Amino acid sequence: MKIIMLGAPGAGKGTQAEMISEKYHLPHISTGDIFRANIKNGTELGKEAKSYMDKGLLVPDELTVRILLDRVAEEDCKEGYILDGFPRNIPQAEVLDAELGKLGDKIDAAIDIEVPDENIIERMMGRRACTSCGATYHIVNVPPKKEGTCDKCGDALILRDDDREETVRNRLNVYHEQTQPLIEFYQKKGVLKTFDGTKDMMDVFKEITEILA
Ligand code: ADP
Ligand code: ADP
Ligand code: ZN
């Protein structure tokens, strides 16, 4: 099963992708997490990606597409995967489509989680992310057991540089201009499933499992 997560920054894509990954034993592939791991390790790719991420802009397709295609070619992706944060524009979706087409394959479900812009800023201000394993929390909605510490791996939680209000507003603009057209793209392919992301995260998850089952 090959799944794509769609939705604005902060809609809950990563939160749901993580739960889907555990239930269906599929790798959760987040391009944002791959970039952040490269930034943390000080790689050239990380340096280049950071200059865009800090402004709330998309990292250029040449970099992003290569990384994603290399990742899905790995052994653990044979039975499928969940893409979280890719594709983020029509050209990326077309490359993915063409690559899958060569293998006689396709995306099975595009899960669109809808949350109005008004709710996004509050979600992002409260989001805390683990610097090691990529797990995310929210200071009010999803607090960790011990403040500032990841439940899963014990590492430190931070407010991401790009989760500050100014940058979030830029990211929302980028989302509306470049990413939102993907909703129609996958709708035309007949694989779009839409969910109300303002509901409790476990209710959203339950609805998702009902369509994937
Ligand atoms: P995305 O991957 O789409 O950017 P996240 O999964 O990181 O979004 O979620 C953004 C923030 O909102 C996090 O702090 C997360 O804990 C919180 N969150 C996720 N789902 C919900 C929900 N259904 N209700 C309230 N808060 C949520
Ligand atoms: P969120 O889900 O909160 O929007 P992500 O972790 O998915 O955040 O992405 C963080 C940043 O990484 C994006 O704002 C963008 O700069 C970069 N990025 C992630 N995925 C892509 C992609 N597919 N194409 C271009 N840039 C990307
Ligand atoms: Zn962690």
Side-chain angles (χ1 to χ4, degrees):
M1 190 158 51
K2 298 189 172 65
I3 302 170
I4 284 175
M5 307 301 296
L6 294 176
K13 300 181 297 297
T15 301
Q16 297 299 331
E18 200 49 45
M19 291 192 281
I20 299 169
S21 166
E22 272 170 36
K23 183 172 166 88
Y24 297 92
H25 308 287
L26 294 170
H28 169 199
I29 300 175
S30 155
T31 37
D33 283 350
I34 296 174
F35 289 136
R36 280 183 290 276
N38 274 275
I39 292 171
K40 198 175 174 193
N41 295 329
T43 68
E44 277 308 311
L45 167 72
K47 279 180 207 149
E48 175 139 20
K50 189 174 188 328
S51 64
Y52 296 94
M53 290 166 80
D54 283 350
K55 297 190 193 97
L57 300 174
L58 295 187
V59 177
D61 290 348
E62 304 86 84
L63 285 181
T64 311
V65 166
R66 180 169 48 82
I67 286 166
L68 191 277
L69 293 182
D70 284 350
R71 179 64 189 87
V72 297
E74 284 179 34
E75 187 64 30
D76 66 331
C77 291
K78 279 221 160 70
E79 300 297 317
Y81 43 74
I82 307 152
L83 300 185
D84 165 16
F86 187 100
R88 241 180 167 96
N89 58 26
I90 296 282
Q92 291 181 6
E94 283 173 343
V95 173
L96 179 63
D97 216 45
E99 288 296 318
L100 286 170
K102 284 183 203 165
L103 307 168
D105 211 344
K106 62 174 181 47
I107 293 298
D108 299 293
I111 295 178
D112 176 33
I113 306 179
E114 304 212 318
V115 174
D117 286 8
E118 308 86 88
N119 303 26
I120 294 290
I121 303 286
E122 181 274 329
R123 281 218 188 163
M124 303 302 247
M125 300 300 100
R127 172 156 72 177
R128 294 294 178 273
C130 176
T131 50
S132 291
C133 75
T136 59
Y137 301 84
H138 187 281
I139 50 176
V140 181
N141 307 336
V142 193
K145 291 195 181 78
K146 182 163 174 273
E147 201 189 314
T149 306
C150 179
D151 291 351
K152 293 194 179 125
C153 74
D155 237 310
L157 301 180
I158 57 150
L159 171 66
R160 272 165 47 179
D161 284 342
D162 62 344
D163 278 353
R164 292 166 208 283
E165 188 164 345
E166 268 278 304
T167 318
V168 171
R169 291 195 190 280
N170 290 341
R171 289 163 64 197
L172 275 173
N173 289 336
V174 168
Y175 169 75
H176 291 301
E177 281 169 20
Q178 303 193 44
T179 310
Q180 216 166 14
L182 293 175
I183 293 176
E184 200 189 326
F185 181 94
Y186 287 108
Q187 189 170 34
K188 281 188 181 150
K189 292 191 179 294
V191 295
L192 186 77
K193 307 284 177 197
T194 305
F195 298 89
D196 177 356
T198 63
K199 293 186 183 171
D200 179 88
M201 60 188 254
M202 293 316 297
D203 292 338
V204 179
F205 181 57
K206 188 165 168 283
E207 290 176 12
I208 292 175
T209 58
E210 280 162 9
I211 69 107
L212 293 179

